[in-house]
Amino acid sequence: MSIEVSETPAQASAREERQKAGQPAHWLHSKPIEFHNPWPSFRSNQLPGFKDAVTMLPYMFSMLTNSSSVLPDKETVAKIPIQKPTWGTADSKLVAENAQKIKATWLGHACFLVELPSATAGVRGPRILFDPVFSDRCSPNQWMGPKRYTPPPCALEDIPEIDAIVISHNHYDHMDTTSLTNLLARTPAPHVFAPLGNESYFEGLSIPASRAHCLDWWDARRVTSSAASPTTFDITFTPGQHFTGRGLRDRFKSLWGGWVVESSSSPQTSSSSSAENTTPPARIYFGGDTGYRSVPSDTDDGPDTLPVCPAFKQIGAHFASGFDFAMIPIGAYQPRRAMSPVHCAPRDSVALFQDIRARRALGMHWGAWFLTTEHALEPPRLLREECKKRGIEEGAFGVCGIGETVVF
């Protein structure tokens, strides 16, 4: 398998226009060495401070020591379905039928393996792995920090051949050194796409710059893989409302965001005839980790007049025909005053779903680690309620089991 990466035609044609625009609004300096959220929907003074630390002290202690006092009990965890992934190949009768469909396998928290529709019978479609974290703790070390209460549904070695790994930002529950080292050492080796500011991280893993692509918001690349059909897909880094940091001195030093992956329509040749059909183009969105509004209270979810992050309507307008499938965060949102600037509650997730013009979506960023104070099963319950309130068709935006493959 060989993989080549280049600028998309649209990226190349827009370069001069972007240079004329000058320093991007999310850069704090003339060079991309520090970033911020350039919207009224983000309030940095609401990020967790001393008062929030005192409120969350029991939970923080539990996370650090793996105490069972506030972790989900066995009965709760048992209600989160977990299965060994089949990657959509369990039913041989459906393999051919599903070849021209999107196959998304949730591997827990924010990790998905997505296979785009295949354009050739018997040849897989492009495969993209998002935010792979298979370590037990999402922490700088494996002896202290948030510990899984649900296991990964498979081993890293069980993940099939992939073309690209995509990272939303550098927090430990989204970018895991052990997992990346394992995956990037494969033969054939996938390429990795990550935000600006992570160049030195991948250099430290001995990943050559030719395979590690660190992008700014709205940067786009064309990926050509000899192992997949269609052989090319485009990947674009899009804005989100969050922050970064893996230590005490690197907050906001690297960027964060979501990703759009698009495959073009391609002819499909049947193995049993010379007739050609057309595989429709597919477009998917991965939200990574993001907030939507900054709610000023822990007891009130705020008025409808609160500023919302404009990036998502911008994404919806840019990709005007919408998304066939989206992966949207729905958990880690309590206490709201501290978490709302950077984490969506289900109410926000549903608004984001509508802003980007998604037709189908699965909720993520729940069900793996105890990171915040809401009940483990509250995110999917509130998601159902919010979808009903907004008149979203049942099943259009829901959740699935860990290890489950959903076909679109």
Side-chain angles (χ1 to χ4, degrees):
M1 178 181 78
S2 64
I3 297 175
E4 296 180 2
V5 176
S6 60
E7 282 189 321
T8 63
Q11 170 87 17
S13 64
R15 187 187 304 114
E16 184 177 346
E17 181 179 341
R18 294 178 69 178
Q19 289 174 346
K20 287 181 180 178
Q23 179 179 320
H26 59 287
W27 292 16
L28 278 176
H29 311 284
S30 59
K31 294 183 178 181
I33 58 173
E34 190 174 11
F35 307 91
H36 72 141
N37 295 285
W39 312 292
S41 56
F42 180 79
R43 296 179 183 172
S44 58
N45 62 354
Q46 282 189 215
L47 291 179
F50 178 77
K51 180 180 178 181
D52 305 294
V54 171
T55 302
M56 295 185 67
L57 193 58
Y59 303 94
M60 293 169 68
F61 178 78
S62 176
M63 286 190 289
L64 291 172
T65 62
N66 195 34
S67 165
S68 62
S69 59
V70 292
L71 292 176
D73 56 37
K74 291 182 179 179
E75 290 75 16
T76 296
V77 174
K79 294 178 181 178
I80 301 175
I82 304 175
Q83 65 183 66
K84 189 174 179 62
T86 64
W87 321 110
T89 62
D91 190 336
S92 58
K93 297 178 182 178
L94 295 177
V95 171
E97 178 184 332
N98 290 339
Q100 296 189 50
K101 297 178 182 178
I102 298 167
K103 293 182 280 292
T105 304
W106 186 38
L107 299 175
H109 198 58
C111 182
F112 272 90
L113 176 65
V114 176
E115 182 174 334
L116 299 177
S118 173
T120 305
V123 180
R124 69 167 177 84
R127 291 191 188 126
I128 302 95
L129 183 64
F130 296 91
D131 282 4
V133 180
F134 278 69
S135 291
D136 192 36
R137 296 182 187 268
C138 55
S139 172
N141 57 68
Q142 289 301 298
W143 55 271
M144 183 176 288
K147 181 179 172 64
R148 286 181 179 272
Y149 59 83
T150 55
C154 65
L156 275 168
E157 293 73 21
D158 296 328
I159 294 176
E161 183 179 75
I162 52 177
D163 303 296
I165 298 170
V166 169
I167 303 296
S168 63
H169 65 297
N170 74 357
H171 286 157
Y172 289 98
D173 57 325
H174 295 261
M175 190 168 84
D176 176 48
T177 299
T178 300
S179 300
L180 288 173
T181 301
N182 179 298
L183 292 163
L184 292 169
R186 286 184 167 195
T187 303
H191 283 229
V192 61
F193 297 82
L196 279 181
N198 289 295
E199 294 85 353
S200 60
Y201 173 81
F202 290 108
E203 288 175 10
L205 297 183
S206 299
I207 307 302
S210 59
R211 283 178 49 213
H213 312 276
C214 295
L215 308 186
D216 198 0
W217 287 348
W218 298 111
D219 281 348
R221 297 292 183 267
R222 178 153 292 176
V223 182
T224 302
S225 170
S226 62
S229 179
T231 58
T232 63
F233 60 93
D234 291 347
I235 183 164
T236 304
F237 189 40
T238 57
Q241 182 171 295
H242 202 58
F243 72 111
T244 53
R246 291 169 75 84
L248 298 176
R249 302 177 62 184
D250 64 341
R251 184 175 274 204
F252 291 100
K253 300 297 185 182
S254 63
L255 196 52
W256 54 89
W259 295 87
V260 172
V261 180
E262 305 170 272
S263 66
S264 58
S265 58
S266 304
Q268 181 211 18
T269 302
S270 169
S271 59
S272 59
S273 73
S274 61
E276 285 193 350
N277 301 311
T278 299
T279 299
R283 181 184 290 149
I284 65 172
Y285 171 78
F286 176 72
D289 212 349
T290 184
Y292 189 76
R293 304 172 299 140
S294 292
V295 177
S297 169
D298 289 337
T299 57
D300 181 355
D301 209 27
D304 292 336
T305 55
L306 283 176
V308 302
C309 181
F312 304 108
K313 283 191 175 179
Q314 184 182 6
I315 292 166
H318 185 87
F319 300 97
S321 59
F323 293 91
D324 301 295
F325 168 57
M327 295 153 277
I328 298 175
I330 64 170
Y333 49 80
Q334 292 283 12
R336 289 298 286 146
R337 193 190 71 83
M339 294 298 167
S340 62
V342 293
H343 286 162
C344 283
R347 168 181 170 175
D348 306 319
S349 308
V350 172
L352 190 159
F353 170 86
Q354 295 178 315
D355 285 354
I356 65 171
R357 309 181 190 184
R359 288 178 282 279
R360 295 287 302 278
L362 289 173
M364 62 176 187
H365 207 260
W366 72 282
W369 289 285
F370 184 79
L371 301 175
T372 49
T373 61
E374 74 271 7
H375 189 274
L377 300 179
E378 185 179 89
R381 176 178 63 80
L382 291 185
L383 178 63
R384 289 191 298 271
E385 294 175 4
E386 293 296 334
C387 284
K388 187 174 182 181
K389 286 179 186 177
R390 287 181 173 257
I392 293 174
E393 179 185 359
E394 186 175 355
F397 185 3
V399 298
C400 67
I402 299 173
E404 181 181 356
T405 299
V406 182
V407 178
F408 300 93

